[in-house]
Every structure is written in C-alpha cells, then in structure tokens.
Amino acid sequence: MVALESESDVLGHGDRAPDFELEATDGETYTLGDFDDHDALLVVFTCNHCPYAKAKFEAMNDIADDYENLAVVGINPNDAEEYPEDSFEKMVEYVESGDIDITAYLRDETQEVAEAYGAVCTPDPFLFRNDNDDFLLVYHGRFDDAMNPDAEPERYEMREAVEALLAGEEIPVEETPSQGCSIKWVEG
C-alpha cells in the first residue's frame, strides 16, 4: 500500500491534462480529444488486482453512470507480465462482466501516461474541467474517506468535487491523497 506523499512530481491545479493515445477494452484507440464533448473528465489510474482499486470500482462506476457530462476514463498502467491479472485480456473480462462500467478503460502499456500524470498508486483519480477543449486539473484526491478496502465510506469527496465542478462552483473538499497499491512499474 502506498499513499501519495509528494505533489512535486504530479500535476498542479490548472495544469493541462497530458495527452495520450491508448487502446481501450472496446477495441478502439482513444486520445484526450475523444472526450471533448464532456464538460469534465475523471482520469483514474487503476488496475484489476489491487484490493484498494477493486474497492473503488463501484464508486467509479456509479459516478460514470450518474453524470452524463462527465467522462470517466480508467487507465491501467501496471506491469502485466509480473501481474497477469492486469493484462489487457483481463481488463476486457472486467468490462464484459460489468465489474468495470465506465466511459473507457484504457491500457497504458508503456507506462508513459502514468508517468506524465505523476500517478503513484491504484486508484489515483484526477478530475479535470473542460475549458474550450483543454482539460485543466481542478481536483486530485481520493474517491472517499474509506481508507481500507473493507471500510464503508462516510464522505464521498470525489462525488462532491464532481457535483461542484459541473455546477460551476468552487471545489468544496480538501484534497486528501488517494491510498492504494503502488503502480507496478516495469523493471529496467
């Protein structure tokens, strides 16, 4: 388990989302521009095997389902050779079974996208506002206050942030770093 400790290597408020071109479980390749028709974008670095990430699948799916002006994009950067549960084929299985039901679930095979965003754990959510087709960071924090996979949340910080963003209001929640499994970086 790792908690985000330093903000020095991650995006800051107002920073533009780094672009990407990644394969999705639906067989399509997506770029950041494919989500321009949404008012907001939630990018979640996640995976299939981490119990912390799995514990947030329902929250992630519910947010994707509840807000039509928000695109929810999961990106799996983990080393699938060392962690076969995080392979692209398994990602497809998670989507087909309905365990993951979001706008798009993408594979970051080279891990360059996770590095560009400064992601360190799974799940690691980044919320962006669409500003004339530039996605600008407004919130980088956890989904809720449940700090271990078996805990029940009392406060749903990401939902509060999304609702404020879509209403054009200031984000009312303090950013608390996400907690989860470290990203499984490819050795060498």
Side-chain angles (χ1 to χ4, degrees):
M1 170 196 64
V2 70
L4 185 63
E5 304 221 354
S6 168
E7 297 270 339
S8 62
D9 297 330
V10 298
L11 300 175
H13 283 222
D15 286 352
R16 183 177 294 132
D19 202 359
F20 52 76
E21 185 173 334
L22 298 173
E23 184 179 4
T25 55
D26 64 5
E28 300 294 322
T29 298
Y30 287 85
T31 66
L32 200 55
D34 289 318
F35 306 104
D36 285 349
D37 58 343
H38 293 86
D39 294 336
L41 171 68
L42 176 60
V43 173
V44 182
F45 290 89
T46 190
C47 69
N48 303 332
H49 89 274
C50 169
Y52 290 86
K54 289 173 130 177
K56 302 306 177 196
F57 286 173
E58 185 177 351
M60 188 171 66
N61 294 344
D62 288 348
I63 287 172
D65 191 47
D66 290 347
Y67 304 101
E68 64 183 44
N69 293 328
L70 171 74
V72 178
V73 176
I75 299 178
N76 181 351
N78 276 356
D79 179 352
E81 196 168 304
E82 289 293 319
Y83 296 86
E85 185 69 17
D86 288 331
S87 71
F88 185 77
E89 295 74 25
K90 290 287 188 181
M91 290 170 59
V92 170
E93 289 177 22
Y94 273 75
V95 170
E96 288 178 349
S97 70
D99 289 328
I100 295 178
D101 186 16
I102 56 178
T103 311
Y105 192 21
L106 312 177
R107 179 76 182 127
D108 181 12
E109 190 74 36
T110 66
Q111 302 182 318
E112 291 172 2
V113 177
E115 192 173 334
Y117 279 72
V120 296
C121 66
T122 56
D124 199 353
F126 296 77
L127 180 62
F128 298 90
R129 171 177 52 89
N130 187 342
D131 184 16
N132 296 316
D133 298 338
D134 280 333
F135 287 102
L136 306 179
L137 184 67
V138 297
Y139 181 81
H140 177 209
R142 65 190 184 185
F143 275 99
D144 54 50
D145 63 357
M147 295 308 289
N148 68 61
D150 297 324
E152 286 297 320
E154 293 181 19
R155 186 168 186 197
Y156 300 87
E157 289 124 321
M158 184 58 70
R159 186 173 283 278
E160 290 178 45
V162 167
E163 288 178 2
L165 172 59
L166 293 176
E169 300 168 356
E170 290 292 316
I171 305 297
V173 287
E174 186 176 319
E175 291 181 8
T176 302
S178 188
Q179 184 169 310
C181 302
S182 63
I183 289 179
K184 308 310 181 201
W185 300 103
V186 175
E187 298 277 330

